Amino acid sequence: MEFKHKSVLLEETIDNLNIKPDGIYVDGTIGGAGHALKVCERLSDKGRLIGFDQDADAIHAAGERLCDYADRVTVIRSNYCHMREELEVRGITQVDGILLDLGVSSFQLDSPDRGFTYRVDAPLDMRMDQRQERTAADIVNQYSEKDLYWIIREYGEDRFAQNIAKHICLARQEAPIETTGELIEIIKHAIPAKIRATGGHPAKRTFQAIRIELNQELDVLKDSLDGMIELLNDGGRLCVITFHSLEDRIVKTAFKRNEDPCICPPEFPVCVCGRKSKGKMLTRKPIIPTREEIEANKRSKSSKLRVFERRM
């Protein structure tokens, strides 16, 4: 299956990276290289792009798509949380811009055997890095009812989390839950018929929750943003595209903290903590897709772009 992924907020992201032709840029989630290709088109032969992805199919697709720029591109199969050490190995300590396009790719959603989607019956996988041993099936069949409830409530923001967790635990007593189709039927029985008839797909929130837990998506994001800002040269920018409120909240909080890191009590007349600002959040309100983009690509509807500029 060909790796297809339509990049969202493409022009807005590239414009906000403020690319210098001779600069060094990092795409932490290179995927099908849609954003990366646009970056390369603006680089001179002295510029450089380093791309990261966990997915072997994405690495292969990115290599093919960027073959015309092979002299200035390095693609690394790794989670972006290892960005600093991977760059240091290659003699890079500072960069001019970093891009993150978070979430699951269209290719992953559309590949039945990956188990990300609730639209087809497939093995319960959901691994972004297929070298990882644990799968979604392990979470569904091994987590306690309490832990299942917590991740579905926190990561899926599903008001029926308690009942869904209960139904999963009851079902797996009869036999292991091994496919997305089996899990979907269990979730359907845990949600009132009236809600199923009026809301979106009943399994959407639970699938999101399990995927986030399996791939540790939010923890990785929280732990990486401050370090990425530290990697930026003066005037360098970090652009992050999110697809749900949990991700967006983490990005917004990190950007605010780096802009104003002071921890002094508000009644203090002057700052005494000594913490210095690392830059400025350029997007007080996130950039969202136009109506035309949403009509052309429905998966862009929930996307938001936030931008931080390093200032020393």
Side-chain angles (χ1 to χ4, degrees), residues 162-173:
Q162 192 165 16
N163 209 32
I164 292 170
K166 178 182 177 181
H167 276 68
I168 288 173
C169 291
L170 287 172
R172 73 190 190 192
Q173 289 177 9

Side-chain angles (χ1 to χ4, degrees), residues 9 12-14 16 99-100 238-242 248 283 285-288 303-307:
L9 295 166
E12 295 90 338
T13 302
I14 299 304
N16 275 281
L99 159 68
L100 294 180
L238 170 58
C239 296
V240 185
I241 301 169
T242 63
D248 184 58
T283 45
K285 290 186 177 180
I287 298 168
I288 59 175
S303 62
K304 294 179 179 180
L305 169 65
R306 291 189 185 271
V307 185

Side-chain angles (χ1 to χ4, degrees), residues 198-253:
T198 56
H201 196 287
K204 181 178 181 179
R205 293 177 181 273
T206 299
F207 271 53
Q208 173 180 294
I210 294 169
R211 190 200 82 219
I212 288 173
E213 170 68 11
L214 176 66
N215 297 288
Q216 295 293 291
E217 295 172 41
L218 300 185
D219 288 341
V220 167
L221 183 62
K222 282 180 189 175
D223 294 343
S224 301
L225 291 171
D226 289 353
M228 289 183 185
I229 290 171
E230 289 280 358
L231 276 172
L232 294 172
N233 284 317
D234 189 30
R237 293 182 179 182
L238 170 58
C239 296
V240 185
I241 301 169
T242 63
F243 287 86
H244 54 76
S245 60
L246 299 172
E247 293 172 336
D248 184 58
R249 196 176 305 134
I250 291 170
V251 175
K252 181 180 178 181
T253 300

Side-chain angles (χ1 to χ4, degrees), residues 6 52 54 77 88 99 174 204 229 274 287 301-302:
K6 196 164 188 177
F52 290 82
Q54 303 176 82
R77 188 180 182 190
E88 286 180 351
L99 159 68
E174 302 297 323
K204 181 178 181 179
I229 290 171
I287 298 168
K301 185 177 181 180
S302 61

Side-chain angles (χ1 to χ4, degrees), residues 11-285:
E11 297 301 329
E12 295 90 338
T13 302
I14 299 304
D15 287 345
N16 275 281
L17 274 174
N18 196 27
I19 295 167
K20 298 187 295 185
D22 296 346
I24 300 173
Y25 294 86
V26 179
D27 188 336
T29 49
I30 198 166
H35 290 100
L37 179 61
K38 288 291 184 181
V39 173
C40 287
E41 288 173 353
R42 298 195 181 193
L43 293 178
S44 70
D45 56 6
K46 294 181 180 178
R48 193 166 177 189
L49 172 76
I50 298 91
F52 290 82
D53 210 289
Q54 303 176 82
D55 193 306
D57 293 318
I59 294 294
H60 179 72
E64 287 194 338
R65 193 168 191 185
L66 302 175
C67 62
D68 290 343
Y69 301 95
D71 60 329
R72 68 199 70 170
V73 173
T74 302
V75 182
I76 304 166
R77 188 180 182 190
S78 181
N79 190 301
Y80 64 75
C81 67
H82 303 301
M83 186 180 295
R84 181 182 290 277
E85 51 261 48
E86 291 286 356
L87 292 176
E88 286 180 351
V89 166
R90 292 160 176 83
I92 300 170
T93 56
Q94 298 292 129
V95 301
D96 298 293
I98 300 172
L99 159 68
L100 294 180
D101 180 2
L102 301 173
V104 62
S105 72
S106 298
F107 174 82
Q108 290 166 331
L109 285 171
D110 295 337
S111 300
D113 62 319
R114 300 297 296 272
F116 283 103
T117 182
Y118 42 79
R119 303 194 185 281
V120 295
D121 191 20
L124 268 173
D125 193 325
M126 300 193 196
R127 291 172 296 171
M128 289 186 172
D129 187 340
Q130 291 179 302
R131 297 170 297 186
Q132 177 180 320
E133 291 186 7
R134 190 173 68 157
T135 69
D138 294 318
I139 291 175
V140 170
N141 289 291
Q142 296 173 11
Y143 273 34
S144 67
E145 182 176 334
K146 180 181 177 181
D147 287 342
L148 284 171
Y149 160 65
W150 189 89
I151 66 167
I152 296 169
R153 184 194 67 187
E154 294 298 314
Y155 297 159
E157 299 180 297
D158 197 313
R159 59 181 167 143
F160 300 105
Q162 192 165 16
N163 209 32
I164 292 170
K166 178 182 177 181
H167 276 68
I168 288 173
C169 291
L170 287 172
R172 73 190 190 192
Q173 289 177 9
E174 302 297 323
I177 303 165
E178 297 178 340
T179 71
T180 56
E182 291 169 1
L183 181 58
I184 290 166
E185 288 305 310
I186 293 165
I187 295 168
K188 284 181 178 178
H189 285 99
I191 297 176
K194 185 185 294 186
I195 302 299
R196 295 203 311 269
T198 56
H201 196 287
K204 181 178 181 179
R205 293 177 181 273
T206 299
F207 271 53
Q208 173 180 294
I210 294 169
R211 190 200 82 219
I212 288 173
E213 170 68 11
L214 176 66
N215 297 288
Q216 295 293 291
E217 295 172 41
L218 300 185
D219 288 341
V220 167
L221 183 62
K222 282 180 189 175
D223 294 343
S224 301
L225 291 171
D226 289 353
M228 289 183 185
I229 290 171
E230 289 280 358
L231 276 172
L232 294 172
N233 284 317
D234 189 30
R237 293 182 179 182
L238 170 58
C239 296
V240 185
I241 301 169
T242 63
F243 287 86
H244 54 76
S245 60
L246 299 172
E247 293 172 336
D248 184 58
R249 196 176 305 134
I250 291 170
V251 175
K252 181 180 178 181
T253 300
F255 283 6
K256 282 186 173 181
R257 181 177 64 249
N258 279 276
E259 180 178 72
D260 182 14
C262 178
I263 56 173
C264 295
E267 62 269 20
F268 278 27
V270 295
C271 174
V272 296
C273 72
R275 297 183 179 224
K276 303 295 184 184
S277 172
K278 295 178 184 176
K280 185 176 180 61
M281 180 164 60
L282 301 184
T283 45
R284 292 301 162 189
K285 290 186 177 180

